[in-house]
Amino acid sequence: MGNSALSPQFAWNTQLLPLPGPSGIAVKQIRETTAELEWAPVPGAVRYNVYVGKDLGTPEFYTPATTTSITLKDLQGGTQYSVAISSINQNQEEGTK
């Protein structure tokens, strides 16, 4: 008599979780109308969204970045800006800022 045991079958449901925002955000250089930023890479991130707002208010625009640094241009001298950066995973889902 042979062994007729069935092999177990598995179904995998892989789900990517939203990524955290990057850490170590630093301003490398500030000039009259530009600011250069850098941050630590987030494992699993394929790009980043850099949100910029004036006077610590709601972000007015965002700039996509594919590396862990960016130079913001066309800034107004004498204006205080706030910056938030989010990570984007391979499913194009945005994590926390």
Side-chain angles (χ1 to χ4, degrees):
M1 220 184 224
N3 187 348
S4 63
L6 298 176
S7 299
Q9 293 184 349
F10 297 97
W12 299 100
N13 183 8
T14 304
Q15 179 181 10
L16 291 174
L17 298 176
L19 300 172
S23 62
I25 300 170
V27 179
K28 290 199 59 148
Q29 187 172 30
I30 297 177
R31 298 212 170 147
E32 183 67 24
T33 60
T34 64
E36 185 180 342
L37 307 173
E38 70 177 10
W39 56 90
V42 174
V46 296
R47 68 180 174 88
Y48 303 90
N49 283 342
V50 181
Y51 294 88
V52 180
K54 290 182 184 176
D55 300 319
L56 305 176
T58 303
E60 296 177 10
F61 67 92
Y62 85 93
T63 301
T66 56
T67 63
T68 57
S69 66
I70 191 168
T71 299
L72 301 174
K73 300 178 182 179
D74 300 323
L75 302 176
Q76 296 175 349
T79 302
Q80 186 174 5
Y81 289 89
S82 61
V83 175
I85 303 173
S86 64
S87 305
I88 311 297
N89 67 21
Q90 66 185 8
N91 287 343
Q92 304 305 309
E93 296 168 327
E94 185 170 27
T96 58
K97 296 178 203 148

